[in-house]
Amino acid sequence: MRILYVALAWTSGILLSIADPLRAPLIWLIGLALGGLIVLMRPRQGWRWLPLICALGGLRMALYPTTSDLAAFNGLGGMTLEGVVIGEPDRRDDRVQIQLAVEMVTRAGATTPITGSALIYAPPITAAHAGDRLWATGALTTPGSWDNFSYRDYLARSGVFSVMRNASIETLSRADSLSPLITLRQSAADRIAAALPEPQAGLLTGILLGSERGIAPEVADAFSVTGAAHVVAISGFNMVLVSSLVTATLRRMRVPRRLAAAISIGVIVIYTIFVGGSAAVVRAALLSILLVIGDVIRRQTFTPASLAFALILLSAHNPTVLWDVGFQLSFFAALGLATFAAPIRRRLDPALTPLIAEPLGTTLAVAAFIVPLTALHFGRLSAVMPLVNVLILPVQPLILIGGALATAFAFIAPALAQIGYWLTMIPLSWTIEIVRLFARLPAAEVYPHPNLIAAYTASVIGVLMIAARPKWFHRLADLIRRQAVIALVGSAAILLLTAAVIVSRPDGRLHVWLLDMGGANAVLITTPSGANLLIDGGSYPSRLLTAIGDRLPFTDRALEAVILTQPDERQFGALTAVLSRYSAGAILTHGQPNLSPAYAALEQALAPFPIV
């Protein structure tokens, strides 16, 4: 357990080093010398190494860069940057965010070699990939801060100290080839989008591939409000929960403990590589693996000691990770599971079926640590978080397994994959509608006084320790376990899909929806016979696709007519994405030419369809 004290001393040095008077490396070098003297003078004292470790932590933080050479050009007006794209760009509805490793700056006719990274905001139709060499023209600025969030500090943790908004991009050369993993992920995302409507397609893409950019803002907000945001994308919270559920499921299947751990670790490693292995995902994977190993060793002190070692290792590489919310969620989720999960499950198992006891125990164990942390960072917490997670976590393995199998079959047997996607749509829709339902409750989101956070945590822990449920509840759980669960689930799936098809048939009425596209026009009309007409569509693809997916049957992938009333990009920007998902019987346009790149992209999307 000595490593726990070492970790405390190390992090204390890092935290002390952020104070202005203690930022100088020379101060911590002097501290190292004094720490060495203490070790020599007090050889028998167990604490003698702690001042030395504290000084090492402070020196590491003091040596971490707080700016770059490129940042000297912030605020100097227009210029052109030349560099290479780092990682795959982050594509959103209204922009593409590109991290550029800058090599040259051209300003006022003078070109200067330079080093540093910049975050480039480019138009959403920009085609850029990892390894491409670009020119980016615009004005460099220093990232700002809003309320209690510092965007500057957030980007600094990735070594970025400059931002260029509304940049003009020119591609100098393409990468020799895209990474096979990037190509595979994009192909998988395309197949999911072709098989499922929104928002189900966006949620499955986020769960399987770690990309939540296709999820409409209102859907993402609902997940955030209900404390279920960990489901939307791959995070530390999500990875820890999934690894725990996978391990528990294998044990329920009577798989030997060590083999179950090996399988769980293999799944975590393969999954981490497949989704791109970003720093946040690797951290989450490391903590999850340590949790699995600690459970196999069955030593009470292993997991806390391993977490302490991981903390030292990760902060030695990048000391600013201590301020990363994702890392904090990963760390405390793992700590909560290691501390509370087993005792809670032991109390729940006699009274509840494993299908409920496992996710409930896991959720409450994690919530004991995560809820106060969330309230501390965001000034709010979700009063419905435990109940929402209990309702949606049991179906997450079905989404992971069903979605992964359907996507794999999509490459070899599309017709069979479509059936798999429709079956997976049941737990996807359940997750989305449960989150939406609870997000509308007045008490879904509360803003507690800081003094109440400790009391809330104590009450959660007290609930976790409640004794077993009444005998009648235990007997009912035993009865449910003895039933043919697989047959019931299969029958329910068939009935639900059949009911969904019947309900989605035309009802003989005219339906007109004025869609909320953030100030732009979008009207969806369904005629009494079931024909679908779309007028304009705004400029936010995920919002429009979600609005259409919410209103059209999941089996209907056709728009009988798409009508474009004006050449304003704000009114048609999202139609390109819609036409890649839905076929169109006819296109009616205003006939007014437009030379913008966005309209050129729209014309390319309209090419396969008859235009009136």
Side-chain angles (χ1 to χ4, degrees):
M1 295 295 287
R2 291 181 180 177
I3 194 170
L4 297 179
Y5 299 104
V6 172
L8 288 174
W10 170 268
T11 54
S12 297
I14 292 176
L15 296 175
L16 287 172
S17 186
I18 65 173
D20 287 335
L22 300 177
R23 286 186 180 271
L26 179 60
I27 294 176
W28 295 102
L29 288 173
I30 296 173
L32 283 176
L34 294 176
L37 287 176
I38 293 174
V39 170
L40 294 175
M41 295 174 60
R42 301 284 185 179
R44 296 183 180 180
Q45 299 294 325
W47 53 266
R48 66 189 185 279
W49 290 95
L50 297 184
L52 186 64
I53 299 298
C54 180
L56 282 171
L59 180 63
R60 178 67 188 94
M61 186 64 198
L63 293 175
Y64 190 79
T66 57
T67 188
S68 66
D69 295 340
L70 180 64
F73 288 84
N74 292 354
L76 297 184
M79 64 194 73
T80 298
L81 309 180
E82 179 180 337
V84 177
V85 178
I86 303 174
E88 197 61 15
D90 182 3
R91 301 188 179 277
R92 308 192 179 193
D93 277 354
D94 57 345
R95 65 182 182 273
V96 176
Q97 294 184 181
I98 303 170
Q99 187 172 345
L100 194 69
V102 181
E103 299 172 357
M104 298 282 186
V105 175
T106 300
R107 178 177 177 272
T111 300
T112 306
I114 204 163
T115 58
S117 294
L119 185 64
I120 310 297
Y121 287 18
I125 61 172
T126 301
H129 298 282
D132 290 354
R133 179 171 291 275
L134 306 177
W135 274 344
T137 302
L140 278 182
T141 60
T142 300
S145 300
W146 302 275
D147 296 329
N148 60 348
F149 174 71
S150 173
Y151 193 44
R152 182 183 187 280
D153 293 341
Y154 172 78
L155 293 180
R157 290 194 285 270
S158 301
V160 176
F161 302 94
S162 304
V163 173
M164 180 179 285
R165 303 178 187 275
N166 302 318
S168 174
I169 302 296
E170 182 177 345
T171 303
L172 301 178
S173 63
R174 296 290 185 186
D176 294 336
S177 62
L178 290 179
S179 164
L181 283 176
I182 293 176
T183 304
L184 182 62
R185 285 200 303 273
Q186 186 58 52
S187 298
D190 292 341
R191 282 161 172 79
I192 293 172
L196 291 174
E198 294 293 351
Q200 288 86 353
L203 179 59
L204 183 59
T205 302
I207 292 173
L208 286 183
L209 308 179
S211 174
E212 73 275 22
R213 300 310 178 194
I215 299 177
E218 60 270 22
V219 177
D221 289 344
F223 275 89
S224 177
V225 167
T226 57
H230 58 88
V231 171
V232 175
I234 300 168
S235 65
F237 192 13
N238 191 18
M239 185 78 79
V240 170
L241 284 172
V242 169
S243 64
S244 175
L245 291 173
V246 168
T247 303
T249 302
L250 291 172
R251 290 194 188 151
R252 297 286 182 187
M253 298 169 61
R254 306 294 184 181
V255 177
R257 181 179 292 270
R258 292 183 182 275
L259 179 59
I263 294 174
S264 299
I265 292 173
V267 169
I268 292 171
V269 172
I270 294 172
Y271 192 39
T272 301
I273 295 173
F274 178 69
V275 299
S278 66
V281 174
V282 170
R283 290 196 300 264
L286 174 61
L287 293 172
S288 300
I289 289 172
L290 289 175
L291 197 65
V292 173
I293 295 174
D295 192 44
V296 172
I297 295 177
R298 293 186 174 183
R299 285 181 55 188
Q300 188 176 1
T301 60
F302 177 83
T303 302
S306 299
L307 292 175
F309 175 75
L311 175 67
I312 295 172
L313 185 66
L314 293 171
S315 58
H317 175 259
N318 183 353
T320 62
V321 73
L322 298 181
W323 287 268
D324 187 275
V325 177
F327 169 75
Q328 294 176 13
L329 290 173
S330 301
F331 184 87
F332 285 104
L335 185 60
L337 282 173
T339 305
F340 290 113
I344 295 170
R345 284 197 288 261
R346 281 197 298 268
R347 292 181 175 274
L348 295 179
D349 278 342
L352 298 175
T353 177
L355 188 64
I356 298 177
E358 194 63 48
L360 178 59
T362 300
T363 300
L364 293 179
V366 173
F369 285 87
I370 294 301
V371 168
L373 182 64
T374 303
L376 178 65
H377 278 292
F378 305 109
R380 65 185 187 185
L381 57 84
S382 175
V384 299
M385 174 186 171
L387 181 56
V388 169
N389 279 275
V390 166
L391 292 173
I392 66 174
L393 279 181
V395 304
Q396 298 313 302
L398 300 178
I399 294 175
L400 282 169
I401 296 172
L405 290 176
T407 304
F409 275 108
F411 289 92
I412 55 177
L416 186 61
Q418 184 64 69
I419 298 174
Y421 279 126
W422 283 348
L423 291 174
T424 307
M425 195 174 70
I426 296 173
L428 283 169
S429 300
W430 168 264
T431 300
I432 293 168
E433 295 310 318
I434 286 294
V435 168
R436 280 174 161 174
L437 173 64
F438 282 90
R440 289 193 290 267
L441 297 178
E445 194 173 36
V446 295
Y447 301 86
H449 191 278
N451 294 337
L452 297 177
I453 295 177
Y456 175 82
T457 305
S459 65
V460 170
I461 296 174
V463 171
L464 304 183
M465 303 306 172
I466 292 178
R469 300 298 190 266
K471 293 182 179 180
W472 65 267
F473 195 93
H474 178 63
R475 292 172 183 171
L476 179 61
D478 287 341
L479 178 63
I480 295 174
R481 279 195 292 263
R482 288 194 297 267
Q483 303 307 310
V485 176
I486 296 178
L488 289 176
V489 171
S491 300
I494 295 173
L495 289 174
L496 283 172
L497 287 174
T498 303
V501 172
I502 294 173
V503 170
S504 63
R505 296 177 63 186
D507 58 3
R509 298 179 180 179
L510 177 68
H511 297 268
V512 179
W513 292 283
L514 305 178
L515 306 179
D516 180 9
M517 291 294 114
N521 298 326
V523 181
L524 178 63
I525 301 174
T526 299
T527 67
S529 61
N532 304 311
L533 294 82
L534 178 64
I535 303 174
D536 294 331
S539 59
Y540 297 97
S542 64
R543 182 177 293 184
L544 179 60
L545 285 167
T546 296
I548 295 174
D550 282 342
R551 291 162 177 82
L552 297 189
F554 67 91
T555 56
D556 191 351
R557 308 289 285 185
L559 298 170
E560 276 63 34
V562 176
I563 303 171
L564 183 60
T565 64
Q566 49 189 302
D568 189 346
E569 181 180 346
R570 292 174 298 178
Q571 308 299 339
F572 67 75
L575 290 180
T576 303
V578 171
L579 293 173
S580 68
R581 305 278 192 97
Y582 294 84
S583 64
I587 308 293
L588 284 75
T589 71
H590 46 73
Q592 189 173 350
N594 190 320
L595 300 179
S596 70
Y599 195 77
L602 178 62
E603 286 184 320
Q604 184 177 359
L606 295 175
F609 308 111
I611 300 177
V612 179

